[in-house]
Amino acid sequence: MRLAQWASGLRHTDLPDRINAYATSQLISHLAVVRAGMAHPLGQRLVKAFGSPTDDRPDQAAYVLAALSACLYYEDSMYVGHVWHSSLGAAELDATVREVLGA
């Protein structure tokens, strides 16, 4: 619990440059995976079934982003699992890179 509280309070400026660079790279990679998923027939079927990730409903868009990022299985796995599918989709909807990374 203490670790989660500490981590949730971190801001972009609190992190070393190498960590900021890695986090930015991961975010860009995640966006590329979503874009690739949307261009693929499977991704197009997901969007047709569940709606666009740019719809006005952030909760629905987050689900679609998660599905699109997983449908081609191009993402990274960390020691705790697949963190980007569930944690970044909603944050990407209406935010800058610095906002997503906790600036």
Side-chain angles (χ1 to χ4, degrees):
M1 174 92 163
R2 278 190 263 165
L3 180 60
Q5 290 172 335
W6 170 80
S8 68
L10 288 174
R11 296 293 168 249
H12 193 70
T13 55
D14 297 330
L15 303 173
D17 289 342
R18 68 182 179 82
I19 301 301
N20 282 328
Y22 179 74
T24 300
S25 174
Q26 284 291 107
L27 176 60
I28 292 168
S29 175
H30 182 74
L31 291 171
V33 166
V34 169
R35 186 178 171 112
M38 287 181 70
H40 192 274
L42 178 58
Q44 292 169 2
R45 288 174 54 197
L46 286 168
V47 170
K48 185 176 179 182
F50 298 105
S52 170
T54 59
D55 284 348
D56 290 334
R57 292 188 46 211
D59 57 337
Q60 187 66 28
Y63 294 132
V64 175
L65 283 169
L68 287 168
S69 70
C71 75
L72 299 178
Y73 209 68
Y74 284 158
E75 93 309 330
D76 290 333
S77 299
M78 296 193 175
Y79 76 99
V80 293
H82 304 281
V83 296
W84 291 98
H85 302 308
S86 59
S87 60
L88 246 330
E92 291 170 2
L93 294 176
D94 190 27
T96 66
V97 171
R98 286 196 177 274
E99 289 170 334
V100 171
L101 297 177

